[in-house]
Amino acid sequence: MDGVAVPPWLRRVVHRTPADPHRINPVLDRRAPTGTTTREAAVLVLFGGPVEADPLMSGGLPAGADVLLTQRASTMRQHSGQVAFPGGASDPGDEGPIATALREAQEETGLDPSGVRPLAVLEEIFIPPSGFDVTPVLAYWEKPSEVGVVDPAEAERVARVPVHTLIDPRNRFQVRHPAGYQGPAFAADGMLVWGFTAGILAALFAVSGWEQEWDRHDIRDLDTVLAELDNDLDDDHLTHGHGRPAAER
């Protein structure tokens, strides 16, 4: 990927090492214990938006910048209902993590891989529950295509989430899992982003130049936050006659 042009507002994200300056992001330090048998996987961290930076915004972040996220089906055995980057396990025919990330993203969301420009490959991160070593692949959506839920058994929602929504201090806090995990989280468009996905986003935002000061001492119980989101969705269903969107551009 040497020599690949990077939109100016993404340069820090692509060229700087993801960071945890406040030591509240345990995701970055996850490495498989010695001797652990792992499976290879990759996710696509796909940013879309104008090529041009906005000179009036911190880090040049344009108003139309977004990131592609999916919400896993609630029927899945692992990570059910969680918000995630498109991605999954490597296939024998994949020529590295970029190929895996693009193939899985196409299968999950229907995007056209030819419109995606890979920019960087980050260090693998171990996911203890599933035993995957996951490689995040940073990319720019040069020619956006239609996306949506391809297989309802795998995902119940596909969304292009505005980056400005994610970095809004009102939408940032930490969550504490009953099992002891504590880490960064984001509230975005009726979804809770936490765990691995939130950890990657938080680490990228920390070096992006876009980040705004937020209350890192705001720590919320994970189950309580999820219950509140479910209640909000139920209220929305009663008021507007519909539930959570199945897909969203």
Side-chain angles (χ1 to χ4, degrees):
M1 287 175 287
D2 292 342
V4 173
V6 179
W9 55 276
L10 277 172
R11 285 175 185 162
R12 293 185 183 183
V13 172
V14 171
H15 296 304
R16 295 188 178 185
T17 302
D20 176 25
H22 303 287
R23 302 187 65 81
I24 60 170
N25 188 355
V27 169
L28 288 185
D29 296 327
R30 287 182 179 167
R31 299 293 179 268
T34 303
T36 301
T37 300
T38 62
R39 296 182 291 168
E40 297 298 315
V43 295
L44 185 66
V45 185
L46 179 58
F47 288 98
V51 173
E52 299 79 12
D54 183 344
L56 301 180
M57 296 302 298
S58 298
L61 182 68
D66 57 39
V67 62
L68 185 65
L69 298 175
T70 70
Q71 186 164 25
R72 298 185 184 277
S74 55
T75 54
M76 294 186 72
R77 287 186 300 173
Q78 292 182 326
H79 310 298
S80 63
Q82 279 193 240
V83 178
F85 301 115
S90 301
D91 278 354
D94 292 341
E95 297 181 358
I98 293 176
T100 297
L102 290 175
R103 175 184 55 76
E104 285 284 335
Q106 182 179 25
E107 292 176 1
E108 290 182 19
T109 72
L111 68 76
D112 181 357
S114 67
V116 175
R117 186 196 305 173
L119 298 175
V121 175
L122 303 183
E123 190 173 357
E124 291 180 339
I125 294 177
F126 181 60
I127 309 295
S130 59
F132 280 114
D133 258 339
V134 181
T135 301
V137 176
L138 298 184
Y140 174 62
W141 213 348
E142 193 169 38
K143 296 178 181 178
S145 52
E146 294 290 330
V147 292
V149 173
V150 175
D151 184 356
E154 290 192 4
E156 61 186 44
R157 187 177 182 187
V158 173
R160 295 182 62 171
V161 178
V163 175
H164 279 280
T165 297
L166 294 167
I167 65 171
D168 187 329
R170 295 170 296 182
N171 296 329
R172 299 196 65 176
F173 45 92
Q174 293 193 67
V175 291
R176 183 183 291 117
H177 192 282
Y181 169 87
Q182 180 176 307
F186 303 83
D189 200 13
M191 300 184 294
L192 175 67
V193 187
W194 69 283
F196 171 85
T197 304
I200 296 299
L201 288 173
L204 295 176
F205 293 164
V207 299
S208 66
W210 317 329
E211 192 168 38
Q212 303 174 33
E213 189 63 29
W214 58 282
D215 185 2
R216 297 173 185 85
H217 300 291
D218 182 0
I219 303 170
R220 308 180 190 181
D221 177 74
L222 175 62
D223 289 341
T224 300
V225 177
L226 291 173
E228 289 172 349
L229 285 173
D230 286 340
N231 288 336
D232 289 343
L233 288 171
D234 289 341
D235 290 343
D236 184 66
H237 176 79
L238 291 172
T239 303
H240 302 289
H242 59 80
R244 177 179 297 166
E248 181 175 300
R249 290 193 195 91

